[in-house]
Amino acid sequence: MFKKFIIAIVGFIIVVFSLGAVKVAQIKEMSSVSHVPPATAVTTIEASAVAWHPVIQAIGTLAPVEGVTLSADAEGTIVKIMVENGTAVKAGDPLIELDTSVEVAQLNAAEARAELAKVNIDRAKELLNSKTLAKSEFDTIEATSKQSLADVAALKAQINKKLVRAPFDGRVGIRLVNVGEYISKGRALMPLQNLNPIFANFNVPQRQLSDLTIGQKMSVTIDAYPTKVFEGTISAINPEVDPSTRNVFIQATLANPDELLRSGMFAEVQVELPVADARIVVPATSIAYASYGNSVFIVEKMKDPQGNEYLGVRQQLVKLGDTRGDLVAIETGVKPGEQVATSGVFQLRNSAHVQVNNIAQPSANPSPKPANT
């Protein structure tokens, strides 16, 4: 009985050792397999120094160099409108005529009185020369003659006020009155604007005032014409700083021969400063933003602990400069020629394996325009 027990114990020990040997072999085999995580696909761009012209960006509004809403200088009934809506006119062109029948009749009477006064003054001069008319009587006749001429001039001026003329070259807008309508003095009639050239008005912070000069080049873009850039120059700088906003009012003048730009349009203004610094510029998608500091990932060859070479990334803290569209200038942290990861940066970590695939690159447009929806 004891011998059977010993044999059973020995058999059990042999089975245990056999199982242990098999498990050890399995562990060794598993440990020999590489546990390197799969490579992350990224896109890259080679860092290079480019001429990065600093710009002042602002939001502006277009305004006419000359623009008014014409109004009536006298009351009366409109008898004729001589221009169509949107017509180009020259200075002095008649636009709207009011009824002058009463004034014309009064003018005829005044001219008749003036003719009679002229005859009287000529006769009075002869009598005065012959000393048969007192000087006081001659003065009275002369004053009456001058008053008659003044009445004629006043009625002509009143009639002239009832013919509204264009004060300058420009384009009329949509009229606000109609033929047959009785209007009072000061009533708005129609807008008139000279659109070539045109002003772009905008504000800049007072700290940027020293960067601006009269005649400095600038440009505007309008969402109505997303592919066009309209060039102009700064024509006026307000001598006063707004005490509530600490901004300075700037006015620029732009040529507008085709009248594409219209008064009241919203404009994105860029004033290019003369100093051009060489900056490392990368797409904004390259930046990993963080509260402790912004960084980029440099793609380069690395070695693992076993000495095997692989393509990995090195996280590099950077100091950012200006942003322009999809691009960001890097002040420090990246050297020309280094390969910078431009996508998937939030999935990366220091020394991570990567695989470069540059078939599709992220947008890198300094002046991106969203598609109209």
Side-chain angles (χ1 to χ4, degrees):
M1 190 71 177
F2 180 74
K3 184 183 288 187
K4 289 182 179 181
F5 177 75
I6 294 299
I7 292 172
I9 293 296
V10 172
F12 176 76
I13 293 173
I14 291 172
V15 170
V16 170
F17 273 103
S18 298
L19 291 174
V22 172
K23 196 65 177 177
V24 169
Q26 290 177 346
I27 292 173
K28 286 183 178 181
E29 182 180 358
M30 291 176 63
S31 63
S32 64
V33 178
S34 175
H35 291 281
V36 176
T40 303
V42 297
T43 58
T44 62
I45 188 173
E46 182 177 343
S48 59
V50 299
W52 185 262
H53 289 271
V55 296
I56 296 176
Q57 295 181 323
I59 299 302
T61 302
L62 302 186
V65 171
E66 294 177 301
V68 295
T69 298
L70 298 174
S71 59
D73 285 342
E75 60 184 15
T77 302
I78 296 176
V79 295
K80 189 182 294 185
I81 296 177
M82 305 174 185
V83 291
E84 296 294 331
N85 294 338
T87 303
V89 297
K90 297 291 184 181
D93 286 353
L95 305 178
I96 294 178
E97 183 181 354
L98 303 182
D99 179 36
T100 58
S101 57
V102 175
E103 288 80 2
V104 169
Q106 292 173 345
L107 177 61
N108 293 334
E111 287 177 338
R113 291 193 297 270
E115 287 293 329
L116 178 60
K118 184 178 182 302
V119 172
N120 290 336
I121 194 66
D122 291 340
R123 184 181 299 117
K125 285 180 180 179
E126 294 177 358
L127 294 175
L128 181 64
N129 291 333
S130 63
K131 298 183 180 180
T132 57
L133 182 68
K135 183 65 169 61
S136 59
E137 292 182 9
F138 177 81
D139 291 342
T140 301
I141 295 172
E142 185 179 37
T144 302
S145 177
K146 290 181 179 178
Q147 183 177 356
S148 299
L149 293 175
D151 290 342
V152 171
L155 284 168
K156 286 183 177 178
Q158 188 173 351
I159 292 173
N160 189 55
K161 283 187 175 183
K162 291 198 172 185
L163 181 60
V164 180
R165 297 179 180 273
F168 50 81
D169 295 352
R171 187 175 297 277
V172 298
I174 299 174
R175 67 173 186 261
L176 307 175
V177 292
N178 295 294
V179 174
E181 186 175 352
Y182 182 85
I183 60 173
S184 58
K185 184 177 181 180
R187 169 72 181 276
L189 303 176
M190 64 174 58
L192 172 65
Q193 294 189 345
N194 182 359
L195 299 176
N196 183 33
I198 195 168
F199 285 144
N201 299 326
F202 58 98
N203 291 279
V204 300
Q206 66 175 15
R207 68 177 181 275
Q208 296 176 325
L209 181 59
S210 60
D211 296 325
L212 301 177
T213 58
I214 301 296
Q216 190 169 352
K217 294 188 179 299
M218 53 78 67
S219 63
V220 302
T221 54
I222 309 294
D223 54 6
Y225 309 102
T227 61
K228 287 183 174 290
V229 176
F230 300 90
E231 305 289 342
T233 57
I234 294 177
S235 52
I237 299 175
N238 202 19
E240 179 186 15
V241 176
D242 188 335
S244 60
T245 62
R246 308 304 176 188
N247 289 338
V248 183
F249 182 73
I250 309 295
Q251 190 170 75
T253 304
L254 300 93
N256 189 30
D258 298 328
E259 296 186 358
L260 297 179
L261 303 178
R262 298 299 177 96
S263 173
M265 276 184 165
F266 169 89
E268 296 180 23
V269 180
Q270 280 197 348
V271 181
E272 188 171 292
L273 303 182
V275 180
D277 298 330
R279 305 279 184 86
I280 300 294
V281 179
V282 298
T285 53
S286 305
I287 311 300
Y289 297 95
S291 58
Y292 58 82
N294 303 317
S295 61
V296 298
F297 286 91
I298 308 298
V299 179
E300 58 189 12
K301 290 183 179 180
M302 297 182 171
K303 289 187 177 181
D304 60 17
Q306 289 75 33
N308 299 319
E309 192 174 79
Y310 69 97
L311 194 63
V313 290
R314 170 173 54 86
Q315 190 170 15
Q316 176 65 48
L317 292 175
V318 294
K319 178 182 178 182
L320 302 182
D322 298 334
T323 299
R324 193 174 302 172
D326 296 330
L327 300 177
V328 179
I330 296 181
E331 301 285 349
T332 59
V334 177
K335 299 177 182 178
E338 292 183 324
Q339 296 292 324
V340 180
T342 58
S343 62
V345 296
F346 294 102
Q347 303 175 12
L348 301 178
R349 67 184 187 282
N350 207 24
S351 301
H353 289 66
V354 294
Q355 181 179 4
V356 177
N357 184 354
N358 288 329
I359 294 177
Q361 287 280 2
S363 176
N365 190 340
S367 300
K369 294 293 180 182
N372 293 327
T373 56

